[in-house]
Amino acid sequence: MDRNSATGLFLIAALLLVYLYFFKPEAPKETPADKPTSAAAARPGTPAAAAVAAPLDSAAAARTLGAFAGAAMGTAQQTQLQNGNLTVTFSSKGGRVEAVRLNKYKTFFGKPLDLLDAQSAQIDTKFRTTTGQTVRLSDLYFQPTAAQPFAEGDKKGQRLSFVASAAGGQIEQVYTLFDNSYEMGYDLRFTGLQQTMSQEPLTYTFVDRVRQTEQDVKQNRNHTTINHYLVDDEHGALTEASEKPEELDIAEPLKWAAHKHDFFVAGIIAQDKFSNGKFNSTVDLADTTFIKTLSTTLSIPAADAQQGKASFRYYFGPNSLPILQDVTPGFDRNVFLGWGLFRWVNQFLILPVFHTLEKFISSYGIIIALLVVLIKLVTWPLTYKTYESQAKMKVLKPEIDAIKEKAGDDQMKVQQETMKLYSSFGVSPLSGCIPTLLTMPILFAMFQFFPNAIELRQEHFLWAKDLSTYDDLIRLPFEVPFLGNHISLFTVLMTLSTLLMTWQSNQMNPAAMQGPMKFYSYLMPVVFMFVLNSFASGLTWYYLVSNLATLGQQALTRRFVDDTKIRAQLEANKVKNKDKKPSGFGARLQDAMRAAQERDAATNRSASSDPDADAGTSATVVPKPKKPTRRS
């Protein structure tokens, strides 16, 4: 490995460390053990919960709800809609969704995966009356109808209605769950209530206290957020990894809003639009029950509810790109695959290849290994260019050493003469770095693909129980700073393979890596072991296979890269370029170094003319000055 390539790799490593710094899950801060958790306040059976759930008496209902007080008395009943994917539980108190279970998924701990439940989530809608009262649907008792079969074209499913009669009219909520779907239709209608209902927008609220469903609570928390999509096709989101309160007010019309729970999504999509919205998230690190609290507030035009136009769809399901792409425009942005170029690489290159391979291969560990092989084959020409550039630098090393010996400590002279040497032999110092830089988008894209790919969730491979999180075959009885309480075996093997690659490179070109550079070349893999220890095991398995493939590529490439032939080619280039003037980047670089050298020479001459530099002389002699030098 020559010095230029080594410098380039160190710069790339530095960029990678900076990138990981911003995306690595943050460790929770310690808090006093005796601090009460916020979960206790919402736990059933506590006085606070009982106070919230207590029904209003008739007098209080009349004062609070006005003409709608007649619907505030009743008994709460539970009703369900169910298909192969979802079990949705409703409460007649409010006629609202109370719990959602994903039938095909379980938590990392083997329990049924309840995306929402009565203790963790509250969905509600409120409106204003013409006499100034605020009425929440959760204050009213609705009469449920029996679930009825429903068909719409080729789609079949079940339909459930809730009706509350009050103030001379009625409020109706209709839910439609299609077979084998993660979507559920929702219609809200206010009939005959124009005289008692204000024209102020209705306020829809969704409070969601998220439970831990994955092994790594920090990743689970840091991948939980609220996404939204404007009517004018602009996506926005709260900061995922922040442990500080986050809040966002949107004054523009919205198409949808979604609560992302790492690998799952609970969202609502408007058939028309929401007038505006407000989103916030909070984290209480002392709360051992809920990892983050999400809150969404959306405005629904009153006229839409009165005219039967308040139609929506819920999505309760996996955060899977192929499924979300069919829900509504922009809904696939709930799957975070990186920013800009990295997202494009994942969406249009990695995922299509991944999904093609999984049609034929059931083991995702083998799929990842084959993905490495395919990427290595595609990038082989770039890799070969890098090896060829290193071989050219190695062949020219005797000339470069002669330049260094002749120029001594004059680094500017060394650089200038080295560039002349490269130009005469037709060698570009950047030719070894550019191929490596061109493969960087794939490298960075992988850091977002593996932790966010639901395809890898709970997929076993070798000793890893779940390729979407770290493998913890080695558990420690204590916490190690920057490492945690476990050691990922895939990460250890990846580190050892990287050290082997470094040792092999240093053996091939021992003069290129000496002193501190050689030490740092061995230190960097160890640093990355600490950084990647808590990353997805699919990622570290990918880099382990990639390192082994690279070692194989190096062994194979050495059979095709002959130093004698390269020397002959360089000599031929030297003869060909004998009378050729430098052009392009090389010429500009030489001009820049020549100008810098001239500035340094002028500075040295000015310093030698300073009278303070040689006290006792009455004048300083400067070679062929245009004007006599004057004393200051």
Side-chain angles (χ1 to χ4, degrees):
M1 182 184 294
D2 60 273
R3 187 177 298 274
N4 288 325
S5 298
T7 303
L9 289 175
F10 279 118
L11 290 175
I12 291 169
L15 288 172
L16 190 57
L17 283 173
V18 171
Y19 185 80
L20 290 174
Y21 173 79
F22 288 103
F23 287 96
K24 181 173 171 56
E26 299 178 8
K29 301 176 182 178
E30 293 185 359
T31 52
D34 57 349
K35 181 178 178 181
T37 66
S38 60
R43 197 172 293 129
T46 62
V52 172
L56 297 172
D57 58 37
S58 56
R63 290 192 304 270
T64 306
L65 305 177
F68 292 87
M73 302 297 173
T75 302
Q77 304 174 34
Q78 286 188 335
T79 311
Q80 287 187 342
L81 287 179
Q82 186 173 1
N83 63 16
N85 296 331
L86 298 174
T87 299
V88 185
T89 303
F90 304 88
S91 173
S92 63
K93 190 175 189 300
R96 54 184 176 165
V97 175
E98 187 175 68
V100 176
R101 173 168 291 181
L102 303 184
N103 299 333
K104 296 182 178 180
Y105 294 91
K106 292 186 180 297
T107 69
F108 178 84
F109 314 101
K111 297 180 179 179
L113 202 153
D114 292 321
L115 188 62
L116 309 176
D117 61 68
Q119 288 73 44
S120 70
Q122 286 81 41
I123 296 175
D124 206 351
T125 302
K126 64 181 180 181
F127 61 92
R128 297 274 290 176
T129 68
T130 53
T131 53
Q133 287 96 353
T134 297
V135 180
R136 293 177 173 81
L137 296 188
S138 60
D139 294 331
L140 311 179
Y141 287 87
F142 287 72
Q143 294 299 317
T145 62
Q148 300 293 327
F150 177 80
E152 186 179 277
D154 295 335
K155 295 182 177 180
K156 296 182 179 180
Q158 306 169 69
R159 174 167 285 178
L160 177 65
S161 298
F162 291 88
V163 178
S165 300
Q170 68 176 23
I171 303 172
E172 184 180 16
Q173 300 180 82
V174 181
Y175 298 92
T176 305
L177 182 63
F178 291 104
D179 295 340
N180 301 315
S181 175
Y182 290 104
E183 298 179 49
M184 181 176 68
Y186 172 52
D187 297 293
L188 177 61
R189 305 177 187 133
F190 285 68
T191 306
L193 298 174
Q194 288 84 351
Q195 301 302 316
T196 54
M197 180 182 173
S198 168
Q199 291 305 303
E200 294 181 26
L202 284 71
T203 302
Y204 170 92
T205 58
F206 178 17
V207 178
D208 183 10
R209 290 178 286 275
V210 183
R211 299 183 187 274
Q212 180 182 356
T213 57
E214 312 304 321
Q215 174 182 234
D216 189 347
V217 64
K218 290 180 289 186
Q219 176 178 302
N220 204 167
R221 179 187 300 117
N222 291 346
H223 287 187
T224 297
T225 189
I226 303 177
N227 291 295
H228 66 269
Y229 200 74
L230 302 181
V231 170
D232 61 1
D233 298 332
E234 182 179 344
H235 168 262
L238 296 178
T239 304
E240 281 192 347
S242 176
E243 292 180 350
K244 298 179 180 179
E246 296 286 330
E247 185 170 308
L248 186 62
D249 284 301
I250 304 297
E252 303 175 60
L254 298 103
K255 187 64 178 178
W256 57 259
H259 291 193
K260 190 187 81 165
H261 298 191
D262 201 351
F263 290 110
F264 303 96
V265 174
I268 183 169
I269 305 110
Q271 180 174 312
D272 185 18
K273 63 185 178 183
F274 298 103
S275 303
N276 52 64
K278 181 177 181 180
F279 313 100
N280 63 65
S281 66
T282 58
V283 175
D284 182 0
L285 296 176
D287 192 338
T288 57
T289 304
F290 303 113
I291 60 175
K292 184 178 281 191
T293 299
L294 306 176
S295 177
T296 289
T297 302
L298 299 167
S299 293
I300 303 171
D304 286 359
Q306 293 171 345
Q307 297 171 13
K309 297 179 180 179
S311 296
F312 312 93
R313 281 180 294 144
Y314 281 109
Y315 176 85
F316 301 119
N319 197 26
S320 172
L321 190 71
I323 297 175
L324 299 189
Q325 286 176 326
D326 294 332
V327 174
T328 192
F331 209 67
D332 60 328
R333 295 301 297 269
N334 284 293
V335 182
F336 183 71
L337 296 174
W339 300 105
L341 177 62
F342 307 132
R343 181 177 179 85
W344 296 340
V345 170
N346 279 324
Q347 184 170 349
F348 300 112
L349 176 62
I350 304 301
L351 273 173
V353 173
F354 201 85
H355 289 152
T356 300
L357 291 175
E358 69 181 358
K359 294 178 182 177
F360 307 99
I361 302 169
S362 59
S363 171
Y364 283 84
I366 295 176
I367 290 175
I368 292 172
L370 290 177
L371 186 64
V372 172
V373 173
L374 290 174
I375 291 174
K376 289 293 183 181
L377 290 175
V378 171
T379 59
W380 177 277
L382 297 175
T383 306
Y384 185 83
K385 285 289 185 182
T386 301
Y387 293 147
E388 190 178 44
S389 175
Q390 292 176 0
K392 290 179 180 179
M393 297 297 181
K394 181 181 178 181
V395 168
L396 291 177
K397 188 178 183 303
E399 285 86 346
I400 295 174
D401 289 342
I403 291 173
K404 292 178 180 178
E405 183 177 355
K406 183 178 179 180
D409 296 333
D410 190 347
Q411 294 298 319
M412 184 63 68
K413 184 69 173 176
V414 171
Q415 293 177 10
Q416 191 173 7
E417 293 300 321
T418 301
M419 289 305 300
K420 287 182 180 178
L421 179 71
Y422 288 156
S423 179
S424 65
F425 281 99
V427 175
S428 172
L430 297 179
S431 61
C433 296
I434 291 176
T436 303
L437 291 174
L438 291 176
T439 61
M440 288 302 293
I442 296 177
L443 174 70
F444 283 107
M446 290 301 174
F447 278 92
Q448 296 305 328
F449 172 74
F450 287 105
N452 293 290
I454 194 172
E455 291 84 353
L456 299 179
R457 183 180 183 270
Q458 296 185 1
E459 290 294 335
H460 295 241
F461 181 68
L462 298 178
W463 54 82
K465 300 176 182 177
D466 187 339
L467 287 172
S468 70
T469 186
Y470 57 80
D471 62 290
D472 59 347
L473 183 66
I474 304 173
R475 300 290 298 181
L476 302 176
F478 50 84
E479 190 90 8
V480 178
F482 307 108
L483 192 69
N485 62 354
H486 70 278
I487 296 177
S488 167
L489 189 53
F490 276 137
T491 305
V492 171
L493 294 175
M494 181 205 71
T495 303
L496 293 175
S497 64
T498 307
L499 289 171
L500 177 60
M501 288 174 55
T502 304
W503 176 82
Q504 187 181 66
S505 297
N506 291 342
Q507 291 297 113
M508 290 174 59
N509 196 1
M513 297 291 279
Q514 297 180 359
M517 293 287 285
K518 185 174 183 179
F519 169 76
Y520 287 125
S521 70
Y522 289 106
L523 176 64
M524 290 303 297
V526 178
V527 172
F528 275 106
M529 183 185 74
F530 282 80
V531 173
L532 298 176
N533 190 57
S534 293
F535 272 71
S537 55
L539 176 67
T540 49
W541 164 243
Y542 171 89
Y543 282 114
L544 170 60
V545 177
S546 181
N547 286 345
L548 296 176
T550 300
L551 289 169
Q553 275 186 327
Q554 289 177 345
L556 184 61
T557 304
R558 283 198 297 271
R559 294 179 175 270
F560 297 97
V561 178
D562 189 333
D563 290 356
T564 304
K565 292 181 179 180
I566 288 178
R567 184 73 200 191
Q569 178 188 352
L570 293 178
E571 292 294 342
N573 291 342
K574 184 178 181 180
V575 174
K576 182 180 177 181
N577 298 331
K578 182 177 180 181
D579 299 322
K580 184 178 179 181
K581 294 182 179 181
S583 60
F585 176 77
R588 291 193 296 272
L589 188 58
Q590 286 193 22
D591 291 340
M593 288 193 296
R594 188 180 301 109
Q597 189 175 27
E598 291 174 356
R599 286 196 299 271
D600 289 344
T603 301
N604 292 335
R605 288 197 298 270
S606 298
S608 65
S609 67
D610 189 344
D612 294 334
D614 187 12
T617 61
S618 58
T620 302
V621 179
V622 179
K624 297 182 181 180
K626 293 182 179 180
K627 294 182 180 180
T629 304
R630 299 177 59 186
R631 291 181 181 271
S632 58

